[in-house]
């Protein structure tokens, strides 16, 4: 039987009940509760439990802005597993501070997926595990996390039976792609051809149904490649739109592709609440090589 995992809950009193229930259902034990205004004392709370559950939905922007650096500092130093529930309008600010391999971001999700994420967090980081797991163990735990995440998505879809997701369609995530007016790099391919390929991929969904052709990694690679050729920057929320999947799934893939060295996060020098995503040098080189190979073979971009 799996041991109970200790959890510190960060949530204002009015919204704690649902998170507390999910922690218990996942097999967790709440060892401390903090309001957002108490985050300055987070370091003093019994060395931090291996799982930190954070309820960001409904919290004022200024409170979020003040509290996120404190959570990020604990994440960097102590590496707890962090489960955050957030509203889609909070994607950019929270991802700018907390996007990473130990963070599970749940955007506009229900109880089922929250319980699944907490269960994964408890499995990955029981007391003392972080110090004992080597590189091979970390790879295995990452595969476990991804597999449970996929199972959770399937269960939620079956339960919803095609009902609209909380928050509505992808238009609810604001597109904040920005042009910075500099010349794009010498392009191996016209960026409009890449955009046409993206539109073609979306047409399949229009005629054959949503959810049948999901390939968020490739959709995001295409979007970032086109943006880089156009001299644009892409916010995290805009990249979630490009993934054409639920924001929670997109955020998990962004983390995975960043870990793989294909994406890189670029903080906004003028607004610390936002970060942009871009192809890394490795990701850009890979896309350039792929596009060149496609062109030589006389094939369309797929």
């Amino acid at each position: 039987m799996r041991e109970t995992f200790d959890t510190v809950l960060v949530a204002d009193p009015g919204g704690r009940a649902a998170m507390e229930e999910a922690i218990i259902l996942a097999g967790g034990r709440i060892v401390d509760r903090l309001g957002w205004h108490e985050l300055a004392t987070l370091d003093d709370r019994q060395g931090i439990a291996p799982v930190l559950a954070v309820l960001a939905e409904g919290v004022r922007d200024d409170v979020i802005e003040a509290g996120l650096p404190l959570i990020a500092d604990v994440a960097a130093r102590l590496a707890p597993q962090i489960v955050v529930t957030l509203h889609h309008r909070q994607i950019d600010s929270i991802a700018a501070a907390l996007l990473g391999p130990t963070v599970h971001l749940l955007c506009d999700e229900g109880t089922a997926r929250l319980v699944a994420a907490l269960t994964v967090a408890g499995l990955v980081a029981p007391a003392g595990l972080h110090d004992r797991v080597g590189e091979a163990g970390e790879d295995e735990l990452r595969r476990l996390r991804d597999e449970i995440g996929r199972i959770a998505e399937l269960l939620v879809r079956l339960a919803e039976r095609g009902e609209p997701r909380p928050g509505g369609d992808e238009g609810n995530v604001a597109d904040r792609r920005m042009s910075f007016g500099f010349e794009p790099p010498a392009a191996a391919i016209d960026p409009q051809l890449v955009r046409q390929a993206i539109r073609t991929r979306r047409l399949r969904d229009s005629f054959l149904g949503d959810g049948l052709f999901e390939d968020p990694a490739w959709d995001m690679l295409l979007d970032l490649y086109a943006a880089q050729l156009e001299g644009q920057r892409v916010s995290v929320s805009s990249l979630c739109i490009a993934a054409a999947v639920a924001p929670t799934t997109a955020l998990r893939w962004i983390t995975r592709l960043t870990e793989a060295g294909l994406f890189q996060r670029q903080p906004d020098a003028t607004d610390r609440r936002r970060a942009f995503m871009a192809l890394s040098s490795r990701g850009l080189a890979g896309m350039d090589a792929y596009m060149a190979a496609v062109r030589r073979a006389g094939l369309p971009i797929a």
Side-chain angles (χ1 to χ4, degrees):
M1 183 175 179
R2 182 170 59 84
E3 295 181 1
T4 297
F5 59 90
D6 289 345
T7 306
V8 170
L9 173 59
V10 177
D12 290 333
R16 286 177 179 168
M19 182 72 88
E20 289 176 344
E21 180 183 7
I23 291 170
I24 300 303
L25 288 172
R29 178 180 64 179
I30 302 171
V31 296
D32 210 345
R33 295 169 175 82
L34 292 82
W36 277 82
H37 66 285
E38 299 175 295
L39 279 174
T41 68
L42 185 58
D43 252 356
D44 303 327
R45 306 295 180 121
Q46 90 291 319
I48 305 302
V51 176
L52 188 63
V54 180
L55 176 62
E57 294 166 296
V59 180
R60 294 200 322 264
D61 291 345
D62 60 323
V63 176
I64 291 281
E65 183 179 355
L68 283 176
L70 300 172
I71 298 175
D73 178 64
V74 166
R77 290 186 295 103
L78 302 178
Q81 291 288 308
I82 302 177
V83 178
V84 185
T85 63
L86 62 145
H87 190 272
H88 57 262
R89 294 188 183 90
Q90 298 171 310
I91 286 176
D92 286 309
S93 60
I94 291 177
L98 294 180
L99 193 67
T102 63
V103 180
H104 311 254
L105 299 179
L106 304 181
C107 181
D108 299 331
E109 296 291 358
T111 301
R113 211 173 294 231
L114 174 57
V115 172
L118 288 164
T119 301
V120 172
L123 287 169
V124 171
L129 181 61
H130 182 74
D131 297 329
R132 302 198 300 268
V133 175
E135 183 175 345
E138 288 179 354
D139 289 341
E140 183 62 29
L141 290 173
R142 188 178 296 111
R143 285 193 292 271
L144 172 66
R145 180 187 63 195
D146 291 342
E147 183 61 26
I148 293 179
R150 285 191 289 269
I151 292 171
E153 289 178 10
L154 176 60
L155 292 174
V156 170
R157 286 182 183 178
L158 290 173
E160 289 174 347
R161 296 182 180 275
E163 294 177 6
R165 297 178 50 79
D169 60 20
E170 66 182 28
N172 285 326
V173 181
D175 187 344
R176 300 182 182 176
R177 186 178 291 115
M178 299 177 66
S179 174
F180 281 71
F182 53 80
E183 289 298 318
I189 193 168
D190 183 346
Q192 288 306 310
L193 294 178
V194 182
R195 294 289 180 204
Q196 288 172 13
I198 295 171
R199 287 194 290 272
T200 299
R201 293 168 66 82
R202 297 287 72 79
L203 277 174
R204 297 180 306 187
D205 299 332
S206 299
F207 289 99
L208 299 173
D210 293 336
L212 297 176
F213 305 100
E214 290 180 356
D215 191 1
W218 186 237
D219 283 327
M220 289 190 288
L221 281 164
L222 286 173
D223 189 70
L224 286 181
Y225 186 64
Q228 205 140 336
L229 294 176
E230 295 163 344
Q232 295 181 335
R233 285 183 175 178
V234 181
S235 67
V236 178
S237 58
S238 178
L239 193 56
C240 287
I241 293 175
V245 291
T248 296
T249 304
L251 289 165
R252 188 171 73 246
W253 274 102
I254 290 171
T255 298
R256 186 170 180 178
L257 291 165
T258 302
E259 288 183 76
L262 297 177
F263 289 1
Q264 62 182 9
R265 185 170 50 170
Q266 299 175 335
D268 186 344
T270 63
D271 187 351
R272 67 178 184 178
R273 297 168 298 180
R274 179 173 56 194
F276 297 103
M277 299 303 302
L279 293 175
S280 66
S281 57
R282 176 187 168 196
L284 180 59
M287 292 299 289
D288 280 339
Y290 168 78
M291 295 298 175
V294 165
R295 187 169 60 179
R296 285 196 304 270
L299 298 172
I301 301 170

